[in-house]
Amino acid sequence: MLTPILDGGDRRPLYEQLYRHIRGEIEAGRLAAGTRLPSKRALAAHLKVSVVTVEGAYEQLLAEGYLRAQPRQGFFVQAGAQEPA
Protein backbone atom coordinates (compact mmCIF):
# COMPACT_ATOMS: atom_id res chain seq x y z
CA MET A 1 0.00 0.00 0.00
CA LEU A 2 1.25 3.48 -0.82
CA THR A 3 2.20 5.37 2.31
CA PRO A 4 3.35 8.89 1.53
CA ILE A 5 3.82 11.38 4.33
CA LEU A 6 1.22 14.07 3.75
CA ASP A 7 1.74 17.32 5.61
CA GLY A 8 -1.36 19.38 6.41
CA GLY A 9 0.93 22.32 7.19
CA ASP A 10 2.48 22.27 3.71
CA ARG A 11 1.30 25.08 1.45
CA ARG A 12 0.58 22.53 -1.29
CA PRO A 13 -2.84 20.82 -1.15
CA LEU A 14 -2.90 17.20 0.02
CA TYR A 15 -4.00 15.93 -3.39
CA GLU A 16 -0.94 17.57 -4.97
CA GLN A 17 1.38 16.04 -2.37
CA LEU A 18 -0.12 12.61 -3.08
CA TYR A 19 0.05 13.17 -6.84
CA ARG A 20 3.75 14.13 -6.62
CA HIS A 21 4.51 11.09 -4.47
CA ILE A 22 2.85 8.63 -6.85
CA ARG A 23 4.38 10.31 -9.89
CA GLY A 24 7.81 10.06 -8.25
CA GLU A 25 7.29 6.36 -7.52
CA ILE A 26 6.34 5.75 -11.15
CA GLU A 27 9.24 7.77 -12.56
CA ALA A 28 11.71 6.01 -10.25
CA GLY A 29 10.42 2.63 -11.43
CA ARG A 30 9.16 1.58 -8.01
CA LEU A 31 5.66 1.32 -9.52
CA ALA A 32 6.03 -0.69 -12.71
CA ALA A 33 3.79 -0.54 -15.76
CA GLY A 34 0.62 -2.54 -15.17
CA THR A 35 0.77 -2.18 -11.39
CA ARG A 36 -2.71 -1.78 -9.95
CA LEU A 37 -3.10 1.09 -7.53
CA PRO A 38 -5.35 0.88 -4.49
CA SER A 39 -8.96 1.91 -4.93
CA LYS A 40 -9.73 5.53 -4.11
CA ARG A 41 -11.69 4.53 -1.02
CA ALA A 42 -9.08 2.08 0.26
CA LEU A 43 -6.23 4.55 -0.18
CA ALA A 44 -8.25 7.37 1.39
CA ALA A 45 -9.01 5.20 4.42
CA HIS A 46 -5.37 4.09 4.70
CA LEU A 47 -4.07 7.68 4.54
CA LYS A 48 -6.94 9.09 6.62
CA VAL A 49 -7.82 11.66 3.96
CA SER A 50 -10.99 12.25 1.95
CA VAL A 51 -11.79 10.27 -1.17
CA VAL A 52 -11.82 13.63 -3.00
CA THR A 53 -8.10 14.05 -2.15
CA VAL A 54 -7.21 10.69 -3.71
CA GLU A 55 -9.55 11.32 -6.63
CA GLY A 56 -7.79 14.63 -7.36
CA ALA A 57 -4.38 12.96 -7.39
CA TYR A 58 -5.54 10.07 -9.57
CA GLU A 59 -7.30 12.42 -12.02
CA GLN A 60 -4.12 14.48 -12.45
CA LEU A 61 -2.07 11.32 -13.04
CA LEU A 62 -4.65 10.14 -15.59
CA ALA A 63 -4.57 13.49 -17.39
CA GLU A 64 -0.78 13.37 -17.62
CA GLY A 65 -0.70 9.78 -18.87
CA TYR A 66 0.85 8.17 -15.79
CA LEU A 67 -2.23 6.06 -15.10
CA ARG A 68 -4.98 4.38 -17.03
CA ALA A 69 -8.40 3.56 -15.68
CA GLN A 70 -10.23 0.35 -16.44
CA PRO A 71 -13.93 0.41 -15.58
CA ARG A 72 -14.78 -1.83 -12.61
CA GLN A 73 -11.15 -2.93 -12.35
CA GLY A 74 -9.28 0.11 -11.07
CA PHE A 75 -6.32 2.30 -11.85
CA PHE A 76 -3.11 0.96 -13.36
CA VAL A 77 0.30 2.44 -14.08
CA GLN A 78 0.43 3.24 -17.78
CA ALA A 79 3.09 1.56 -19.91
CA GLY A 80 5.78 4.03 -20.93
CA ALA A 81 5.05 6.38 -18.03
CA GLN A 82 8.55 5.86 -16.63
CA GLU A 83 10.27 7.12 -19.75
CA PRO A 84 11.43 10.74 -19.66
CA ALA A 85 9.54 13.08 -21.97
Side-chain angles (χ1 to χ4, degrees):
M1 179 72 70
L2 296 168
T3 309
I5 296 173
L6 303 178
D7 181 4
D10 192 322
R11 65 181 192 94
R12 291 178 298 160
L14 293 177
Y15 84 89
E16 185 178 339
Q17 293 176 47
L18 179 58
Y19 151 77
R20 287 175 183 261
H21 175 79
I22 297 171
R23 185 184 73 185
E25 294 293 294
I26 293 170
E27 289 176 343
R30 289 185 289 271
L31 287 174
T35 301
R36 183 173 187 243
L37 272 71
S39 72
K40 292 183 277 188
R41 286 187 179 151
L43 186 56
H46 175 71
L47 298 176
K48 296 178 177 44
V49 298
S50 76
V51 173
V52 173
T53 297
V54 177
E55 194 169 71
Y58 280 12
E59 289 299 322
Q60 186 65 35
L61 291 160
L62 281 166
E64 293 182 9
Y66 287 96
L67 298 182
R68 63 183 163 79
Q70 289 187 241
R72 300 181 203 225
Q73 291 184 16
F75 295 90
F76 297 83
V77 175
Q78 180 65 36
Q82 296 87 348
E83 298 171 10

